[in-house]
Amino acid sequence: MAARFFLWLAVFTASFVVKAESYVFPAPSGEATPYVHDTELTLYANQTLSAIAQQNIELLIKDTYQTLNRSNAKSALSEINRRNEGKLPPWLFSALKRCEAWFNKTEGNISCRNGALYDYWATYVQSQHGLSRREVRRLARVARIAEVSFKSENRLEFSPPIQWDLSEFAASLAAERIVEYLASLDINSYHISALGLEVHASSEGISWQGEIAKERVTQGGGIASAIAHVRPWQRPVMFTGNGVSSEKGVLSQSDGWPSAKFQAVAVADSAFDAVLLAHFAASQAAQQSMEMVNGEPSLALKLIDENGRVFTSDTYTSRTSGKRVKDNKHNAVAIDITLPMFDIADYRGPYVSVWISDEKNRLIKSLALRGTSERWLGELRTWWRRVGRKNEGLVDGFSGATKKNVPLNIKWDGLDDYGESVDASSLILHVEVAREHGSRSYEKVPFTLTDLASPKTVSGMDEIASITLSSLE
């Protein structure tokens, strides 16, 4: 009887702790396009919204979508696109400035400048013309090289043919404005979702489970966390009122053509940044995205290819707390590979492959692949024979540019290529390097996940200087 009472008490206490108040704000009437979604807001810690606060949030959401509606000639975005200059609401000025920062950081692969490109795709979907690869590339290029100048007092000047378009990111900007409004009400524990976008922020460090991305995002210290999820191969490139494109993927902002390399789960401190990162990563080679994200602790990224292979940034485990990640924290390994210096005038960056196998040479985890030329990837003979020719998708989706003698600093989370726990007790690290007009080196380092209390260093030969493995526990 006592046991039953304490069980009841535990259930009652748990239900009290997670008590939440939910509100649904329908998509604004007359704005029901594929990029306009119902918004759900859940408040925790016995917080509630007054009727006036609910009305203010409805107006805020409506204002966001209407301001960004290029089909409305009187919207703020339409007017500035028509004049190529003007004063903007502070939140929109800030959004365009942040998008331009991403534009510069990604070398034009993320952009809010491509309204003319979207219009071209829209008229194609409506069967007003055929689809020209040359024309979409031209539209993306001329927008990419046009000049933009941010002035004081939220004024913006830019050159034609830029047409600003933030329609795909409107839900994230509405979420950010809701976050700002809730802060003004001293409401600090909540969850906001809009279809493919999920946002949570709390000054109490609450963890939350993503409904779409199925990841638990951890944040604290009053820092807002956001998660965005893109499945490009399930996503038409263009939606219009008259139909959708047969082409699938995320529209590449640099060349105007759809790309669908990865399913992307992006974590950032703000909703807008999370969505921008997800769109960028869905269309780029994995190593290009990971190198950018690993340099910014505020970002985290997980990529999944069509075969189910998983790639994660060094920051991902620290920003998420899924069960498998927790179980494998003690297995995390740092792998540092040093390449030798060569005093050669025509020194060219080497091709490098790094992977982990079991004792029977069965692939467990692909860790790095530098190089994109199929001819020279074939020079990585051991990698190609054991890994590459059986997993040719790795070359397109995972390979990155060669980098002279830049060392490789890799963090492995102890999971295999498909995100599952590694059970093998004995593992082998493989490192292969081949250089044009140079030689080829291959080293393998046996290790276990429990014998790295002290770093393990192996000296290489020719194209490999040294390899060091150490625990990240």
Side-chain angles (χ1 to χ4, degrees), residues 96-351:
L96 289 176
K97 198 170 185 178
R98 289 159 62 193
C99 198
E100 281 293 288
W102 275 89
F103 174 84
N104 293 323
K105 177 164 54 179
T106 63
E107 299 180 344
N109 283 296
I110 277 294
S111 174
C112 297
R113 301 173 167 208
N114 279 326
L117 175 64
Y118 293 141
D119 291 342
Y120 179 89
W121 271 90
T123 55
Y124 156 70
V125 171
Q126 295 165 9
S127 300
Q128 296 180 24
H129 59 66
L131 185 61
S132 166
R133 184 72 180 263
R134 177 179 295 180
E135 179 61 11
V136 297
R137 186 182 294 115
R138 184 192 70 82
L139 289 169
R141 181 183 62 81
V142 295
R144 188 170 64 248
I145 64 177
E147 295 184 357
V148 175
S149 179
F150 291 91
K151 305 293 185 180
S152 60
E153 298 181 345
N154 300 323
R155 294 194 65 84
L156 180 63
E157 296 178 1
F158 54 95
S159 303
I162 288 177
Q163 290 285 291
W164 299 103
D165 189 303
L166 294 88
S167 54
E168 289 195 82
F169 313 128
S172 67
L173 292 170
E176 289 194 0
R177 297 185 73 190
I178 294 171
V179 167
E180 185 177 355
Y181 178 68
L182 293 176
S184 72
L185 301 179
D186 200 27
I187 294 176
N188 52 34
S189 183
Y190 47 83
H191 175 245
I192 303 169
S193 65
L195 195 61
L197 168 72
E198 298 182 3
V199 184
H200 181 80
S202 171
S203 61
E204 301 169 6
I206 295 174
S207 295
W208 58 282
Q209 183 70 44
E211 292 297 326
I212 295 175
K214 303 302 180 187
E215 296 290 352
R216 186 174 295 277
V217 176
T218 302
Q219 47 68 225
I223 299 175
S225 290
I227 190 167
H229 192 203
V230 174
R231 297 182 182 92
W233 44 81
Q234 300 175 2
R235 181 181 186 275
V237 172
M238 179 58 61
F239 303 83
T240 73
N242 298 323
V244 299
S245 64
S246 59
E247 294 81 3
K248 301 287 198 266
V250 173
L251 200 62
S252 172
Q253 302 294 326
S254 61
D255 67 6
W257 202 251
S259 179
K261 293 188 186 304
F262 294 102
Q263 179 182 166
V265 181
V267 181
D269 288 345
S270 71
F272 190 44
D273 287 329
V275 174
L276 291 172
L277 174 57
H279 278 72
F280 169 74
S283 62
Q284 306 300 310
Q287 292 204 61
Q288 181 181 355
S289 300
M290 294 306 175
E291 286 174 4
M292 183 191 74
V293 171
N294 287 338
E296 299 194 28
S298 64
L299 303 176
L301 181 64
K302 179 167 80 171
L303 302 176
I304 307 169
D305 71 12
E306 288 188 275
N307 296 315
R309 282 184 291 254
V310 178
F311 309 91
T312 58
S313 66
D314 294 344
T315 52
Y316 197 76
T317 55
S318 63
R319 293 298 300 270
T320 59
S321 56
K323 183 178 185 297
R324 286 181 300 180
V325 171
K326 282 184 176 179
D327 291 345
N328 282 277
K329 275 189 176 180
H330 66 285
N331 290 337
V333 177
I335 302 167
D336 300 298
I337 302 166
T338 303
L339 306 181
M341 299 287 289
F342 290 100
D343 187 15
I344 301 174
D346 189 28
Y347 177 79
R348 301 187 183 185
Y351 282 71

Side-chain angles (χ1 to χ4, degrees), residues 399-447:
S399 59
T402 59
K403 295 184 178 182
K404 293 196 174 181
N405 60 348
V406 175
L408 289 88
N409 304 113
I410 300 167
K411 295 179 182 178
W412 178 46
D413 56 12
L415 304 179
D416 67 14
D417 263 346
Y418 301 94
E420 301 296 335
S421 300
V422 173
D423 297 324
S425 58
S426 297
L427 303 170
I428 300 174
L429 172 70
H430 303 259
V431 179
E432 189 172 17
V433 181
R435 181 170 55 85
E436 189 173 0
H437 305 310
S439 58
R440 168 185 166 273
S441 298
Y442 167 63
E443 297 285 348
K444 59 181 184 178
V445 183
F447 72 102

Side-chain angles (χ1 to χ4, degrees), residues 28-29 31 61-70 72 74-77:
S29 177
E31 302 288 332
I61 294 171
K62 183 177 181 180
D63 177 71
T64 302
Y65 285 116
Q66 288 184 343
T67 300
L68 300 178
N69 185 359
R70 288 201 303 124
N72 178 359
K74 295 183 179 180
S75 73
L77 203 61

Side-chain angles (χ1 to χ4, degrees), residues 368-415:
L369 180 60
R370 286 184 180 174
T372 54
S373 166
E374 292 188 12
R375 173 193 169 195
W376 281 100
L377 286 173
E379 291 300 309
L380 297 169
R381 294 194 293 271
T382 304
W383 172 84
W384 181 252
R385 186 175 67 253
R386 296 180 182 176
V387 179
R389 67 181 180 181
K390 302 173 185 176
N391 302 275
E392 292 192 40
L394 286 172
V395 177
D396 292 330
F398 186 44
S399 59
T402 59
K403 295 184 178 182
K404 293 196 174 181
N405 60 348
V406 175
L408 289 88
N409 304 113
I410 300 167
K411 295 179 182 178
W412 178 46
D413 56 12
L415 304 179

